[in-house]
Amino acid sequence: MINKYLQQEMPVVGGVIAELQEFIDQNPNVREVRKGLAIKLVYQSYLYEEIQTIIGVSLGSITFFKNKILVLYYSVV
């Protein structure tokens, strides 16, 4: 199952960042905005430690948010 994901291409970064920004702009829920911003920063090549400082979330949360988005993305594709 993991090989299936490794063989597929990662989502196009520019498109993902644009979608995340749209999500952030339109979502009134602060928790969801933090998740979206964390993932956006990951795709913009920020280190997890930098994201942790900027947003104030744990490293584990950042990993969880990113993995959740990847699972959602690949379940749609």
Side-chain angles (χ1 to χ4, degrees):
M1 183 172 184
I2 292 176
N3 288 335
K4 173 184 166 187
Y5 294 113
L6 294 175
Q7 292 172 357
Q8 294 179 357
E9 292 183 27
M10 290 293 291
V12 178
V13 174
V16 171
I17 292 174
E19 287 182 35
L20 287 168
Q21 187 59 52
E22 183 179 334
F23 172 80
I24 291 166
D25 292 341
Q26 296 179 357
N27 200 321
N29 185 330
V30 174
R31 288 182 178 179
E32 295 300 315
V33 168
R34 290 173 102 188
K35 292 175 186 179
L37 183 56
I39 295 171
K40 179 182 172 188
L41 293 173
V42 167
Y43 276 99
Q44 291 177 320
S45 301
Y46 281 77
L47 299 175
Y48 281 27
E49 291 80 8
E50 294 173 316
I51 298 169
Q52 180 182 27
T53 302
I54 293 167
I55 302 177
V57 295
S58 70
L59 298 175
S61 293
I62 298 166
T63 302
F64 176 77
F65 301 157
K66 180 183 171 196
N67 290 339
K68 185 175 178 181
I69 290 295
L70 288 174
V71 167
L72 289 173
Y73 175 80
Y74 285 116
S75 68
V76 173
V77 172

